[in-house]
Amino acid sequence: MHRRTFVQSTLAAAVFTQIVERLSFAKGKPAVSHDPILTPWTGAHGGYPRFDQIKPTDLEAALTKAMELHQQEIAAIVATKHAATFENTILALEDSGRALNRAGVIFDIHVSTLNDKPMQALEAKMTPLLAAHDDEIIQNEGLFARIKAVKDAKPKLHPVEQRLLDTVYRRFERQGAALSAGDKKRLKEINQRLASLYTQFGQNELADEEGYTLTLTAEKDLAGLPDSVKAAAKTAADAKGVKGWVFTNTRSSMEPFLVYSSRRDLREKGWRMWVSRGDNNDAHDNKKVITEILALRAEKAKLLGYASHAHWIIDDNMAKTPDAAMALMMKVWKPAVARAKEEIADMQKVADAEKAGIKIEPWDYRYYAEKVRKAKYDVDQDQIKPYLQLDKMREAMFWAAGQLYGLTFTKVEGVPVAHEDITVYEVTRGKQHVGLWYFDPYARDGKRSGAWMNEYRTQETFKGKIPPIVSNNSNFVKGEPGAPVLISWDDASTMFHEFGHALHGLNSEVKYPTLAGTNVKRDFVEFPSQLNEHWLPTKEVLSKFAVHFKTGETLPDELVAKLDKAKHFNEGFRTVEYLASAIYDLKIHLEPTDKPIDPSDFEKKAMKEIGVPKEIVMRHRPTQFGHIFSGDGYSAGYYAYIWADTLTADAAEAFTEAGSLYDKKTAKALHDDIMSVGNTIAPDEAFRRFRGRDVDTNALLRDRGFPTS
């Protein structure tokens, strides 16, 4: 998941905005105090946030002050007596809001990783105010008049400057800058209410993740669990001050339990707890929140001139239309379901052979899938996990990035961090500083579940050379003190995925921050991250970094061969689980809202319509679907992963056609055409430059082992 901050900026993406850090203020701009939240970041490595001087209690005042400063900057642009030009309007706008961007970064880091009760209260208070501030900028008639005047004048600009102008104009237009006064007022009300609902949804989800646990007190309850899983559960219990073993209500804790536990009754109990987050008919239930979100989104889309929220979102993506997005998903859906049914039949045979006397249910899927994997390919996750140490996988990511992009990662001390678990690395190419990479790997109370990348500061050369600062965030469960943290193959793949986002930000070589780094179309942004997953299973990586935590031996060649042979195993489940969520997302945002939509009823209806096997549920059930309901980040856009994966599969074939995933010429083309250009050119053109043609969507089917006809 590519996470972007909550605070919206005028020049941020229309729907899911990126906080941009920019260091210098232009002459004559309003001065800020020496507040460490607001002032430009200074120090080594191009500057960094001073978490050692930042107090969460100061965030409200800092954000308020930053909004005031931003309004003053906008007022100065509007008051300019000279006719609107690219320089005095578009570039002045590009240089505005820097203090707010810095404050927004700090705010988002606390909200996403240090979200205690006081911070939750601040989040609930500030998000609608920040949304209102954004609307004040977008709806400033004088500002939009100047932007439109520049656009209408058709000045002779460099292609990147023209791209910036077009991006800014389209952003304002799409967010209602040209609406009537009455419609603007209603749009502002909707945006503020949505901001509050998004916050409520996320806090409800977090409350259920922290409030429900599967606590085991007897050794017999641990049947089937490997030592590493038991150790992590014991550590979690100790942290909560309870006896026994605790499995928390998060994917990183619950999935290993579902894979290994031979106690079917406990698997069902844990599974039901996990998939019911936000759906417990209590104070943290999200169903009514979703219903209101859907109604407001539909109303907003109509105000903006679109048939639905899905049409509004996808109009600004590569797909362009909901029909195109749905067509791709349905192309993959049929072979994915067919494969899943084969997998279920294989699992049922194992259960029958064991005389289990059961029919496979959703809480059985992962457990029996492992049994099938072992029977078919003589390999299971418990064999592989001792070779996958968290620290070694981090080193593997660094090494592969060095081979592809010439980057080196060196741990640095003395750079303050928001939490003691976070480490910082300087990124260099040759002797040149590239940026900083922050790593926050462990789960804790107040931290949202899952894994994501965040840009603390976007690269730019607009006002001096400003290096990027990026972070990767995960939720691994700590083991016993001093013991290495062992992770699953899927966890390692997720690490490489999120690191791909980080590499996208670090490799950026763009002048204007609005167009830099990961500020690209939503259905393109997952392309670099998904592509980066392909380097994990390479022999070069596994032979160096898949090291047994006890013996120090690398993963044996025969196990590597078995992994390669089993690479398409369980692909039906993975694809159906994901697509069920993506199709639900698109369908519910196309549904008429003339009457309230019950998200659970719609889930049942949608899953029946597309024929989801009863043994599989959505990867993210509605009430915990934070991608689409805790913000606009992936709303009507969860399809982006499969869309980007068509690019990914085709790009990976470019490397294999060249003879190696480490082919230097292809890697340079990837850097030059994709990783470094941000949004300075259209994504379809960027891909065309890299591949020499348009994408071959059949590459996706080949990559997943599905038939192409």
Side-chain angles (χ1 to χ4, degrees):
M1 172 183 177
H2 176 245
R3 178 176 175 74
R4 300 200 177 194
T5 54
F6 295 118
V7 183
Q8 295 184 356
S9 157
T10 304
L11 295 178
V15 188
F16 18 78
T17 58
Q18 174 61 53
I19 292 301
V20 179
E21 161 62 16
R22 308 163 197 169
L23 284 178
S24 60
F25 283 91
K27 184 178 179 181
K29 286 201 166 196
V32 298
S33 67
H34 291 292
D35 183 340
I37 298 174
L38 298 181
T39 50
W41 297 345
T42 59
H45 316 301
Y48 47 77
R50 294 305 304 260
F51 290 107
D52 56 333
Q53 299 176 13
I54 290 170
K55 298 177 182 177
T57 51
D58 293 336
L59 270 168
E60 180 177 355
L63 287 166
T64 301
K65 178 64 174 177
M67 286 188 282
E68 293 173 358
L69 291 169
H70 194 198
Q71 288 286 3
Q72 292 174 35
E73 292 166 348
I74 297 303
I77 295 171
V78 175
T80 302
K81 295 181 180 179
H82 299 290
T85 65
F86 180 77
E87 288 74 17
N88 69 21
T89 300
I90 304 303
L91 293 188
L93 186 57
E94 180 76 344
D95 198 34
S96 70
R98 295 181 182 274
L100 180 56
N101 291 333
R102 284 188 288 273
V105 166
I106 304 304
F107 178 61
D108 180 65
I109 291 167
H110 282 81
V111 164
S112 59
T113 67
L114 300 163
N115 205 8
D116 56 15
K117 295 301 181 184
M119 185 54 58
Q120 290 178 30
L122 179 62
E123 181 189 14
K125 180 177 182 179
M126 294 307 299
T127 49
L129 297 178
L130 290 162
H133 170 77
D134 288 346
D135 282 331
E136 289 292 333
I137 306 299
I138 290 291
Q139 297 182 9
N140 186 308
E141 292 184 5
L143 178 61
F144 184 58
R146 292 185 67 86
I147 295 170
K148 189 174 186 302
V150 177
K151 176 77 170 174
D152 291 345
K154 298 180 180 179
K156 293 182 179 180
L157 300 172
H158 183 278
V160 174
E161 294 174 333
Q162 186 64 51
R163 181 80 174 171
L164 177 64
L165 171 59
D166 293 343
T167 299
V168 170
Y169 179 81
R170 180 162 170 76
R171 203 160 286 166
F172 272 71
E173 184 181 49
R174 277 177 48 79
Q175 294 190 61
L179 293 178
S180 68
D183 285 348
K184 283 181 178 178
K185 180 177 182 294
R186 178 55 185 155
L187 182 61
K188 190 172 182 179
E189 294 170 351
I190 290 172
N191 286 339
Q192 289 181 63
R193 180 57 182 161
L194 282 172
S196 294
L197 291 168
Y198 295 156
T199 297
Q200 185 180 351
F201 184 98
Q203 291 185 357
N204 284 343
E205 185 180 1
L206 180 63
D208 275 8
E209 288 172 352
E210 294 182 349
Y212 290 88
T213 61
L214 179 65
T215 302
L216 308 180
T217 57
E219 286 278 356
K220 65 180 181 179
D221 295 338
L222 306 177
L225 300 179
D227 290 342
S228 60
V229 174
K230 289 188 284 190
K234 183 67 169 63
T235 300
D238 292 343
K240 291 183 177 295
V242 300
K243 292 182 179 181
W245 299 265
V246 167
F247 294 88
T248 59
N249 204 16
T250 62
R251 186 175 298 275
S252 58
S253 182
M254 192 51 60
E255 273 201 334
F257 182 82
L258 295 173
V259 169
Y260 296 116
S261 175
S262 58
R263 286 285 303 274
R264 189 173 192 245
D265 58 330
L266 295 178
R267 289 203 309 271
E268 181 178 0
K269 183 177 180 181
W271 179 85
R272 290 191 182 281
M273 177 185 77
W274 183 40
V275 301
S276 297
R277 287 167 291 155
D279 190 15
N280 291 296
N281 299 313
D282 57 12
H284 303 299
D285 195 276
N286 269 329
K287 291 191 287 293
K288 290 183 179 179
V289 177
I290 293 171
T291 298
E292 188 176 356
I293 287 173
L294 292 169
L296 290 172
R297 281 176 171 169
E299 183 184 354
K300 177 178 176 178
K302 288 177 182 177
L303 278 176
L304 294 170
Y306 291 85
S308 71
H309 180 72
H311 286 84
W312 179 63
I313 290 288
I314 300 176
D315 175 63
D316 198 41
N317 283 345
M318 287 185 73
K320 299 300 183 186
T321 67
D323 286 348
M326 187 66 81
L328 175 63
M329 289 193 289
M330 297 313 296
K331 177 177 182 177
V332 182
W333 177 253
K334 185 176 180 180
V337 170
R339 180 63 54 81
K341 289 180 177 178
E342 293 172 0
E343 294 167 0
I344 294 165
D346 287 342
M347 290 187 286
Q348 190 63 56
K349 288 177 184 177
V350 172
D352 292 345
E354 293 179 345
K355 300 188 185 304
I358 66 166
K359 291 293 184 182
I360 298 296
E361 296 287 352
W363 50 89
D364 299 316
Y365 208 112
R366 291 167 177 82
Y367 178 71
Y368 278 99
E370 276 307 297
K371 288 178 175 285
V372 173
R373 190 199 312 256
K374 186 170 180 61
K376 273 195 167 186
Y377 302 102
D378 193 26
V379 61
D380 61 35
Q381 288 197 47
D382 200 26
Q383 278 181 286
I384 306 301
K385 197 169 185 179
Y387 293 92
L388 301 179
Q389 301 177 55
L390 174 60
D391 289 347
K392 288 292 184 182
M393 287 299 100
R394 185 195 64 231
E395 292 174 16
M397 298 189 312
F398 292 169
W399 180 84
Q403 297 299 305
L404 294 168
Y405 309 113
L407 299 177
T408 300
F409 292 74
T410 306
K411 188 176 180 180
V412 294
E413 305 292 344
V415 175
V417 293
H419 189 274
E420 61 183 7
D421 285 343
I422 301 172
T423 51
V424 184
Y425 293 78
E426 182 185 16
V427 187
T428 55
R429 181 181 283 115
K431 295 183 179 180
Q432 297 297 314
H433 175 77
V434 172
L436 292 175
W437 181 74
Y438 287 57
F439 189 39
D440 184 8
Y442 301 120
R444 57 178 172 269
D445 286 346
K447 185 177 183 181
R448 289 187 170 156
S449 63
W452 66 93
M453 170 269 190
N454 202 3
E455 279 188 312
Y456 288 9
R457 181 171 70 202
T458 299
Q459 173 272 334
E460 68 166 283
T461 59
F462 174 40
K463 292 290 182 175
K465 188 175 182 179
I466 307 303
I469 300 177
V470 301
S471 72
N472 281 144
N473 312 269
S474 305
N475 272 277
F476 296 114
V477 181
K478 291 182 179 180
E480 296 176 346
V485 175
L486 303 180
I487 64 177
S488 70
W489 183 261
D490 285 347
D491 286 335
S493 184
T494 298
M495 283 183 66
F496 270 74
H497 175 101
E498 297 303 335
F499 192 60
H501 284 308
L503 291 172
H504 195 186
L506 289 167
N507 277 299
S508 178
E509 297 175 4
V510 174
K511 183 174 183 178
Y512 302 113
T514 287
L515 303 177
T518 59
N519 287 323
V520 298
K521 302 298 184 185
R522 176 56 52 174
D523 46 13
F524 189 75
V525 77
E526 296 297 338
F527 168 33
S529 57
Q530 292 178 174
L531 182 60
N532 203 58
E533 296 175 33
H534 283 70
W535 278 273
L536 168 62
T538 61
K539 185 175 181 180
E540 291 88 343
V541 163
L542 296 179
S543 65
K544 295 177 188 294
F545 302 102
V547 178
H548 197 285
F549 78 104
K550 286 184 178 179
T551 67
E553 297 177 352
T554 56
L555 191 67
D557 288 344
E558 57 267 28
L559 270 180
V560 174
K562 289 176 182 177
L563 278 173
D564 183 63
K565 187 178 178 182
K567 64 183 178 181
H568 293 139
F569 174 74
N570 219 29
E571 192 62 66
F573 170 77
R574 284 192 294 266
T575 304
V576 167
E577 183 192 46
Y578 157 73
L579 280 178
S581 295
I583 293 169
Y584 174 93
D585 168 41
L586 193 51
K587 279 180 170 287
I588 203 166
H589 284 110
L590 289 167
E591 185 76 359
T593 54
D594 49 336
K595 58 182 180 180
I597 298 174
D598 182 293
S600 295
D601 289 345
F602 193 87
E603 177 186 10
K604 296 183 184 75
K605 172 188 169 186
M607 296 305 98
K608 183 177 180 180
E609 283 177 353
I610 61 175
V612 178
K614 68 177 183 61
E615 296 85 358
I616 303 176
V617 298
M618 294 166 58
R619 181 171 177 81
H620 306 285
R621 289 199 56 246
T623 55
Q624 64 234 211
F625 207 166
H627 286 76
I628 68 171
F629 291 128
S630 65
D632 269 334
Y634 286 81
S635 64
Y638 198 61
Y639 79 90
Y641 288 94
I642 199 80
W643 189 276
D645 220 14
T646 62
L647 309 175
T648 298
D650 200 356
E653 287 187 354
F655 279 92
T656 55
E657 289 164 10
S660 169
L661 278 172
Y662 296 92
D663 179 72
K664 296 297 184 184
K665 183 179 178 180
T666 311
K668 186 178 188 304
L670 180 66
H671 171 272
D672 294 349
D673 297 331
I674 303 294
M675 302 296 287
S676 65
V677 301
N679 192 32
T680 58
I681 59 176
D684 53 347
E685 176 60 23
F687 185 85
R688 199 174 296 119
R689 291 183 185 183
F690 170 69
R691 201 64 173 103
R693 55 165 172 74
D694 289 331
V695 64
D696 174 11
T697 57
N698 281 332
L700 174 65
L701 299 175
R702 291 192 292 270
D703 183 59
R704 299 193 177 206
F706 297 157
T708 56
S709 59

